[in-house]
Amino acid sequence: MKLKLYNSLTRKIEDFESITPNKVGMYTCGPTVYDNVTIGNWRTYIMSDTLRRILQYNGYNVDFVMNITDVGHLTGDNEGDSSIGEDRMEKASIREGKTAWEIAEYYGNKFKKEYDLLNLLPPKIFSKATDHIKEQIELIEKIEKAGFTYKTNDGLYFDTVEYEKAGHKYGELSSLEDIQEGARVAKNPEKKNPRDFALWKLHTTIGERDMEWESPWGVGFPGWHIECSAMSQKYLGDQFDIHTGGEDLRSTHHPNEIAQSESACGCGPFVKYWIHGAFLLVDNGRMGKSKGNAYTIDNMLERDFNPLSLKYLFLGGYYRKQQNFTWEALEASENALHNLYFKFRALGDDIGEVNKRYQEKFIKYINDDISTPQALAIMWDVIKDENISNPEKKATLLDFDKVFGLKLDSLKEKSHDVPENIMRLVDAREKARETKDWAEADRIRDEITEAGFLIEDSEDGPKISVS
Ligand code: AMP
Ligand code: ZN
C-alpha cells in the first residue's frame, strides 16, 4: 500500500509522491536551546523520527535536516508577534549567570545526548542558526529585492500585505481564527500590518547583547523565522518534500517560513507536504514551567524510567490527536516495553524470515497516515501467534523495529555472549565512576539491566552476566 499522509496545506490525506524518485528532503524545526527540552517537544521529534523511519522502510533515501535555534526567538513569537517580548537566550543567560553562547552550547549538547537516548536517527545535520548568519542575511537581501520589506526604528520587517498584493497567499496553513488571534496581540505601533514580522532586529532598541552581527541594516540579530528558510534552502534546495513540527507552528512560524522562502526564490510551493503533530498535554492541560509540569528526560531518569518508555507511550497514540501524559501511563508503557524485551529474548538466538502476512498488515497501518497504535498491536499479534516459529517471529519483530526504534536489535545477539554495545556501556560506566559521576554511572547500570544483563562490581573490575 502506498504511503498516505495528512497534509496541513491541503487539509487532506494525500498519496505521498516524492519530488525526485526514491529521494526525500525533510526538515523539522528543532528546539530553542535556552533550557531543557520538554517531553512535549520530544513528542514532536519522535513523530518526525517515526515518519522518517517509515519513509526509509518504504525504500526512500531520506535527507533529514533539523535546526537548532540558538538566537532570535523572542517570547512574543509564540503569540503571533515576532517584534515583542524578551529574548529567550538572553533571558536564560541572566537566569544562569552565563553568556548566551554558553547557554546554547550547554543545552544544545544536552539535547543531542537525549536525542540519542531516545534512539532517534541522527539528521544529516543539526544546523545551528548562529552558524548560518551569512545565509540568513543573503536571504533577507533577496526578500528586500523582491520588494516585500520595510524598515522601522527597531528592524527590518516582512510586509505581508505587499506580498499578497503580488499574488501570493499568506497564512494558508493556519485557520482564520489563528490569524485573527495573532492580529489581536500585535503591539508594535510601527508595524504596517499586524501580521508583519521581523526579519532583522536592530540592537539599538534592545540594549547590550551577547549575540549580534553586522548587517546591511545595522548591527543586530535575525528574526526567529528566517533561519528555517535559510537553512532548509541551503541543505535541501528551494523546494523539498516534507516539513514537520508541532501544531502550534501552523499559525505563525510556518506561514512565515513559506512567505520568506517563496518570495525569495520566486517559486512555489516551498514544501510539498506539511505534517503537524498534535500537542502533548499533562494532567489534561497545557504543560508549563510555571505549573511545574513541563517534564523533561531528566525527570524521567530521576524516577528510574527508561527514556524509550516515553517513545513506546507516544507510539501508542495517534500523532494527530492530542495525548495526555501521566506518570501512571508512563509506568504502564515501561511495563509493556519490559514485557516486549522479555518476550523477544525468550525467542532464542536464531533469526528466520520475516512473516509476509504480518508485514503486509504492518505496512498497511504505518502507511495509513502513521497509524502507529495499530502497528504496535500487530507486533503483539506476532508475539502471541502460536502458528509461527520463533526464528520467524524474531525476524518479523526486528523488521518492525526499524520503524519503532525500540532497540530490539541491541538484544538480538546470542544470549551467552556479552554483546559489544553492552561492553561499550560497561566501559562508559567505568569512566563515569572514575570521574565520580555517580548519577551517570547509575543511569548506565540501569540501561545495562534493561538490556537484560547483570553487572556486579568486584575487585577484578565489573563482572557481566545474562540476567
Ligand atoms: P520550541 O522549542 O518551543 O520552539 O518547540 C520545539 C518543537 O516542539 C516545535 O515543533 C513545537 O511545536 C513542539 N512542541 C512544543 N510544545 C509541545 C507539546 N506540548 N506537545 C508537542 N509538541 C510540542
Ligand atoms: Zn522552523
Side-chain angles (χ1 to χ4, degrees):
M1 187 186 132
K2 255 191 117 51
L3 173 61
K4 289 180 193 301
L5 294 172
Y6 179 85
N7 187 353
S8 308
L9 197 60
T10 56
R11 293 171 172 72
K12 279 195 203 107
I13 302 242
E14 293 179 26
D15 276 348
F16 178 76
E17 295 283 353
S18 59
I19 298 171
T20 311
N22 308 321
K23 261 196 79 162
V24 173
M26 177 170 174
Y27 185 93
T28 196
C29 295
T32 306
V33 284
Y34 67 108
D35 205 339
N36 285 309
V37 164
T38 68
I39 55 172
N41 301 136
W42 284 120
R43 184 180 188 207
T44 295
Y45 302 134
I46 289 173
M47 178 275 286
S48 301
D49 180 70
T50 308
L51 174 56
R52 178 212 180 154
R53 286 169 176 269
I54 290 174
L55 289 158
Q56 291 184 180
Y57 193 90
N58 277 274
Y60 291 102
N61 205 326
V62 185
D63 257 355
F64 179 62
V65 175
M66 182 186 273
N67 67 306
I68 302 268
T69 301
D70 53 1
V71 66
H73 190 172
L74 307 193
T75 49
D77 286 321
N78 289 5
E79 289 140 43
D81 191 338
S82 58
S83 62
I84 57 164
E86 293 166 293
D87 183 298
R88 286 164 195 273
M89 300 298 301
E90 299 287 333
K91 205 175 153 192
S93 83
I94 293 164
R95 179 187 74 215
E96 299 193 15
K98 294 178 181 163
T99 67
W101 292 100
E102 286 164 345
I103 294 283
E105 176 82 11
Y106 176 77
Y107 287 111
N109 286 339
K110 192 142 185 231
F111 170 74
K112 288 183 200 158
K113 218 167 147 191
E114 294 177 357
Y115 192 93
D116 287 344
L117 285 180
L118 287 163
N119 196 26
L120 306 182
L121 300 175
K124 170 170 150 174
I125 181 165
F126 279 119
S127 56
K128 282 200 296 193
T130 52
D131 285 342
H132 296 81
I133 299 297
K134 183 173 135 284
E135 288 83 350
Q136 294 179 69
I137 290 176
E138 282 168 9
L139 195 69
I140 300 172
E141 283 178 320
K142 282 191 193 156
I143 301 170
E144 194 173 35
K145 227 169 162 186
F148 303 132
T149 62
Y150 60 90
K151 282 191 190 137
T152 68
N153 276 323
D154 76 342
L156 187 81
Y157 279 76
F158 187 95
D159 190 328
T160 51
V161 169
E162 279 305 314
Y163 178 67
E164 286 192 312
K165 277 193 202 151
H168 299 279
K169 279 192 194 143
Y170 175 81
E172 268 185 293
L173 278 175
S174 37
S175 64
L176 196 60
E177 302 85 75
D178 282 339
I179 295 177
Q180 281 165 351
E181 186 61 31
R184 236 176 289 140
V185 295
K187 294 192 185 79
N188 182 342
E190 277 195 88
K191 271 180 21 176
K192 287 195 196 163
N193 316 292
R195 295 177 299 157
D196 296 352
F197 55 91
L199 294 165
W200 189 264
K201 295 276 286 186
L202 294 171
H203 94 136
T204 42
T205 50
I206 305 273
E208 271 310 301
R209 298 169 45 85
D210 289 327
M211 293 177 164
E212 38 186 39
W213 297 264
E214 297 280 348
S215 87
W217 313 282
V219 173
F221 62 100
W224 171 40
H225 314 292
I226 196 73
E227 64 177 86
C228 289
S229 287
M231 296 191 280
S232 64
Q233 185 203 38
K234 173 164 181 178
Y235 297 107
L236 299 170
D238 282 342
Q239 291 175 290
F240 58 95
D241 300 282
I242 299 180
H243 196 312
T244 62
E247 61 184 348
D248 58 325
L249 303 184
R250 259 180 90 161
S251 53
T252 312
H253 181 57
H254 287 164
N256 292 352
E257 278 190 38
I258 295 178
Q260 293 166 159
S261 295
E262 295 190 8
S263 61
C265 74
C267 59
F270 151 56
V271 169
K272 201 167 169 192
Y273 303 91
W274 286 89
I275 313 294
H276 290 102
F279 257 36
L280 180 74
L281 307 177
V282 174
D283 301 325
N284 285 310
R286 259 193 104 119
M287 43 192 282
K289 296 226 159 59
S290 54
K291 292 190 201 153
N293 66 8
Y295 300 126
T296 62
I297 298 288
D298 278 348
N299 297 140
M300 284 183 62
L301 296 174
E302 281 155 16
R303 296 178 192 220
D304 274 345
F305 279 104
N306 177 347
L308 291 178
S309 305
L310 188 69
K311 194 179 207 183
Y312 190 96
L313 176 71
F314 292 161
L315 290 170
Y318 182 50
Y319 84 99
R320 279 200 289 132
K321 283 218 174 93
Q322 290 193 333
Q323 193 173 8
N324 186 42
F325 174 88
T326 60
W327 289 104
E328 291 73 30
L330 187 65
E331 183 97 47
S333 293
E334 176 130 312
N335 288 340
L337 185 67
H338 283 173
N339 195 15
L340 170 66
Y341 288 166
F342 177 76
K343 295 263 163 45
F344 182 81
R345 239 182 265 112
L347 294 173
D349 295 333
D350 296 336
I351 301 176
E353 295 287 315
V354 175
N355 181 288
K356 292 286 174 245
R357 192 167 53 87
Y358 279 113
Q359 192 183 39
E360 254 169 52
K361 287 192 191 176
F362 178 76
I363 293 175
K364 181 177 139 216
Y365 288 123
I366 55 168
N367 281 2
D368 181 14
D369 196 28
I370 326 178
S371 296
T372 50
Q374 289 93 332
L376 270 187
I378 294 293
M379 184 182 69
W380 284 103
D381 287 348
V382 172
I383 293 172
K384 287 182 206 136
D385 192 332
E386 289 174 359
N387 295 317
I388 61 173
S389 70
N390 283 352
E392 197 173 350
K393 282 188 186 183
K394 197 155 186 174
T396 311
L397 297 184
L398 283 169
D399 182 63
F400 293 0
D401 203 42
K402 288 181 197 154
V403 170
F404 298 138
L406 294 170
K407 286 198 178 166
L408 289 185
D409 52 352
S410 69
L411 311 175
K412 78 168 187 277
E413 287 82 358
K414 287 195 184 299
S415 43
H416 43 82
D417 291 333
V418 180
E420 226 179 88
N421 60 329
I422 300 294
M423 286 317 297
R424 273 202 296 276
L425 285 175
V426 173
D427 287 344
R429 179 171 172 268
E430 283 307 290
K431 285 206 182 92
R433 280 158 55 89
E434 269 161 36
T435 57
K436 299 204 173 7
D437 187 349
W438 307 118
E440 178 68 357
D442 283 351
R443 189 195 64 69
I444 299 174
R445 196 201 34 230
D446 287 349
E447 209 178 315
I448 294 170
T449 320
E450 307 277 359
F453 293 85
L454 283 180
I455 181 161
E456 278 173 290
D457 295 310
S458 73
E459 282 188 1
D460 302 326
K463 290 220 160 33
I464 321 298
S465 56
V466 180
S467 64

